[in-house]
Amino acid sequence: MWPFTPSYPELSVDDVDGKTYDYIIVGGGTSGCVLASRLSEDPSVSVLVLEKGSVRDNFLSRIPLLSQNFRFPLLQSVSRLSEPIDGFHGRRARVWAAEGMGGASRVNAMLFTRGVPGGYNQWAEEFGLTDWSWDKVEPYFRKSENAYGRPGAGEYRGYSGPVENRPARLVVPSVGYTEKAAEAVGLPVVEDGNDPKASAQGIVNLDAAVNEKGQRVSSYGAWLSSHVANERRSHLSVCTRVVASKLIVDGGSSRVEGVQFRRVEDRTREPREFYVKARREVIIASGTLCSPQLLLLSGIGPREAIEPLGIPLVKEAPAVGRNLCDHVSVPICTEVPRQDTIHTIESPLVFIWNLLLYLLLGTGILAESSTARSIFVRSNTIDDETLAVKRRDENGEDTMDASSPRNVPNVEVMVIPLTGLIDMIPGQSLFTWYTTVVQPFSRGTVELASKNPLHHPRMNHPLLRDTRDLETMHKAVRFTMRLAEEFQAAYPHPAPLRFAPGMDLNVLDKLYSRENTITGVKIPELKPATAPVDKVGSTMSEKEAERVTKASKELSWRTATDDEIDVYIRRAAVSCFHVTSTCRMSLSPEDGVVDQRLKVHGFENLRVADASVFPMVTSAHTMAPTIMVAERCADFLKEDWRERKGQ
């Protein structure tokens, strides 16, 4: 906790057990903090937040660059491994998140991207969710933000919301040359990716949730800070280090009476259970993996997923835990001089200098996101021969119109002046083109591993199971290699590809063995999903790292074969940690879990409000859309109960 600020009013189970609250929010993550803050604006209602983690507002958690490292201690980050994935060498996808107030917004890259309007119009047209078209959601994006770094954009940006954000800065000069590479393949430079009138495709200057002091702006810091929590402690309660074990449903009715929960530290065979009662509503905001887990533990979900574990079926809901979506990424890496990458702070003197800049001025590399630029493109606009982007399709339609669902980008190439590989490579400074499929067809599932709420749920990750996604990634990888070639032509130093299709696969397998993903390689025994986070460090020796350079032939998009691209993808593809849609919105309970007002189908006072309700994953990073969902849910609750009181 920062000096001279009052301690956070975290409550224990004994403080809340047996009490009744108007609203109970299960989860204090990205969306839970928004909900708690908005609902507690009314001092006449009582709000309780049940959170698995703690507040732990420390210095490291506020430094933008360092707090992105999931493996650092004190950040409350947690990873979960999927089941082995067919067709990908028995690999398991690792999905990182955070358990603590603010959730993933405490450890992500802070990128505040809405996505193009056509994506939300697609929700309306394809899924019939007309209340979630662009014109319905856009006011909530503006409501949530303070775009202080974009003055003069009041027509489409907000300036009175809690999430301070500004354009991500170019912390190293190499990133600037990517604009020339993008222009060489026919893409425009988009100054503000959150401008709804901007081009659907292009190289985008991203916004990051960083305040004027150079500090990370998490959902916790923006909405439920120590100041807010203490100011509202008479009617806002935050109970941490607890896990919900079951929703209590009134027998034979559609009403949830309350929530049963236990201490996280209680690992006994028969842990003591506690209970709180809901006067109005229960809102689940536990995230894409844990929100369906709680529903299943409560007997709400597919019969075949519940009854085998001895859990009584309360409500058959076939879509609970289905339709898991995620962005999937394949890193393509160029080697550039160390001073032109974030690797420069591996030098003690450079790190000390940047630490001083941060402490004294709130500037320097440490005050930034690792990702300042991203390239968004629609794969069917990329010419098969030249890999240049076409501005008109075969019917003469504009491919840059951001309002049209047909132009929603399905590929993002994040520009990261740092290694995007699973592990560091001693002696090498890498610049990553993080090639990502952002509109996947592949779907996975979340199921119960046991009746214990502290056990991670079983995740069948979609990765690139659908052949259409694999085809898109093939084209995207070759397109990225073309971008890397154009970058080399513009950049004043040598910038050869080091990690790309056609490279020595033994080097790649050795590197990725640390994550225990490749079969047929001598690797340690798989750790269970509940294992602690690995320690920081590299599995590659300096000598082995030299092989990367010596064994790298000239890698090129022209000479890479389809087979080389395929084997590279199947070894290097990873989750981008943007999992969504396991409790997706729908017009019927057969197709989804919640309705357009986020109420669980068949229940009168149970809602879900987090990324799990997206009908499909957005073409943007998911923080801003998740916040938008929470903002809308808070308004739905206020409107519904205002109407009830008025009757």
Side-chain angles (χ1 to χ4, degrees), residues 471-498:
E471 290 168 1
T472 298
M473 184 63 87
H474 266 252
K475 194 169 190 178
V477 165
R478 196 179 289 277
F479 173 74
T480 300
M481 295 176 74
R482 165 85 199 271
L483 282 170
E485 182 179 279
E486 297 296 342
F487 173 79
Q488 291 179 50
Y491 186 59
H493 305 288
L497 280 169
R498 291 302 186 207

Side-chain angles (χ1 to χ4, degrees), residues 455-579:
H455 290 173
H456 292 324
R458 181 179 292 113
M459 172 177 45
N460 295 294
H461 194 277
L463 207 65
L464 299 169
R465 296 172 188 261
D466 192 300
T467 56
R468 290 171 292 182
D469 294 335
L470 201 54
E471 290 168 1
T472 298
M473 184 63 87
H474 266 252
K475 194 169 190 178
V477 165
R478 196 179 289 277
F479 173 74
T480 300
M481 295 176 74
R482 165 85 199 271
L483 282 170
E485 182 179 279
E486 297 296 342
F487 173 79
Q488 291 179 50
Y491 186 59
H493 305 288
L497 280 169
R498 291 302 186 207
F499 283 83
M503 70 172 294
D504 182 350
L505 294 178
N506 290 321
V507 173
L508 192 65
D509 287 351
K510 171 64 179 178
L511 181 67
Y512 275 63
S513 68
R514 179 182 181 211
E515 286 292 283
N516 201 13
T517 52
I518 306 291
T519 58
V521 179
K522 290 184 179 179
I523 52 179
E525 184 181 355
L526 270 174
K527 296 179 181 179
T530 52
V533 175
D534 295 333
K535 293 181 179 179
V536 182
S538 175
T539 56
M540 271 197 174
S541 65
E542 293 276 359
K543 188 174 182 180
E544 288 170 325
E546 289 178 12
R547 290 186 58 200
V548 177
T549 301
K550 292 180 179 178
S552 290
K553 63 181 181 179
E554 185 176 346
L555 306 176
S556 169
W557 65 275
R558 293 184 177 88
T559 59
T561 67
D562 289 340
D563 285 345
E564 286 175 332
I565 293 175
D566 189 73
V567 296
Y568 186 85
I569 289 171
R570 292 180 186 276
R571 280 169 163 79
V574 293
S575 165
C576 196
F577 320 138
H578 294 162
V579 288

Side-chain angles (χ1 to χ4, degrees), residues 90-108:
R91 299 179 59 212
R92 296 173 183 246
R94 186 181 292 275
V95 175
W96 285 92
E99 291 178 350
M101 296 299 295
S105 69
R106 296 281 290 269
V107 296
N108 63 13

Side-chain angles (χ1 to χ4, degrees), residues 53-342:
S54 303
V55 174
R56 204 177 292 178
D57 184 14
N58 54 60
F59 178 64
L60 179 61
S61 71
R62 294 196 179 194
I63 302 177
L65 185 66
L66 298 185
S67 59
Q68 292 177 69
N69 191 323
F70 302 115
R71 299 181 188 276
F72 274 167
L74 306 178
L75 293 181
Q76 302 188 85
S77 53
V78 60
S79 71
R80 297 176 173 91
L81 282 173
S82 75
E83 297 299 297
I85 302 168
D86 292 340
F88 286 80
H89 306 284
R91 299 179 59 212
R92 296 173 183 246
R94 186 181 292 275
V95 175
W96 285 92
E99 291 178 350
M101 296 299 295
S105 69
R106 296 281 290 269
V107 296
N108 63 13
M110 301 159 288
L111 300 178
F112 206 71
T113 57
R114 301 173 175 181
V116 296
Y120 301 96
N121 292 335
Q122 183 180 18
W123 288 10
E125 293 179 18
E126 184 174 330
F127 297 93
L129 303 172
T130 54
D131 289 344
W132 292 82
S133 60
W134 173 251
D135 63 310
K136 300 291 177 58
V137 303
E138 190 269 346
Y140 289 89
F141 283 118
R142 284 190 283 113
K143 179 181 180 180
S144 67
E145 72 170 347
N146 174 10
Y148 73 92
R150 302 277 189 185
E155 180 183 349
Y156 58 90
R157 298 301 297 266
Y159 297 99
S160 58
V163 182
E164 297 172 87
N165 63 80
R166 59 164 169 76
R169 296 165 182 161
L170 299 181
V171 294
V172 288
S174 56
V175 176
Y177 293 92
T178 60
E179 293 185 358
K180 294 182 179 179
E183 289 175 320
V185 298
L187 289 170
V189 176
V190 177
E191 180 55 37
D192 184 355
N194 289 322
D195 181 351
K197 295 180 181 178
S199 172
Q201 302 184 90
I203 182 166
V204 176
N205 297 323
L206 300 172
D207 285 353
V210 177
N211 66 21
E212 295 184 84
K213 297 179 181 179
Q215 298 169 351
R216 169 188 286 272
V217 179
S218 67
S219 182
Y220 150 77
W223 271 280
L224 219 59
S225 65
S226 176
H227 172 75
V228 171
N230 276 289
E231 186 178 65
R232 303 178 187 177
R233 62 190 308 166
S234 63
H235 61 286
L236 170 63
S237 302
V238 179
C239 182
T240 57
R241 304 298 297 166
V242 295
V243 59
S245 54
K246 186 168 66 171
L247 302 173
I248 305 301
V249 180
D250 185 14
S253 80
S254 59
R255 179 171 179 78
V256 175
E257 293 185 333
V259 180
Q260 184 174 294
F261 61 101
R262 62 181 68 166
R263 291 187 178 94
V264 168
E265 291 81 5
D266 191 345
R267 305 278 176 160
T268 59
R269 181 171 295 181
E270 295 184 5
R272 180 184 172 189
E273 299 283 354
F274 302 86
Y275 174 71
V276 285
K277 189 172 182 179
R279 186 177 292 111
R280 292 187 178 182
E281 299 207 26
V282 174
I283 309 100
I284 303 175
S286 301
T288 294
L289 300 183
C290 294
S291 286
Q293 181 187 28
L294 179 56
L295 289 172
L296 293 167
L297 287 169
S298 306
I300 304 168
R303 181 185 298 272
E304 65 274 14
I306 292 172
E307 291 185 338
L309 289 172
I311 299 172
L313 183 68
V314 172
K315 175 74 174 178
E316 185 150 20
V320 172
R322 304 300 188 243
N323 301 301
L324 175 65
C325 293
D326 194 7
H327 292 162
V328 176
S329 302
V330 171
I332 304 295
C333 297
T334 299
E335 186 173 19
V336 300
R338 183 169 297 273
Q339 68 270 18
D340 278 2
T341 70
I342 295 175

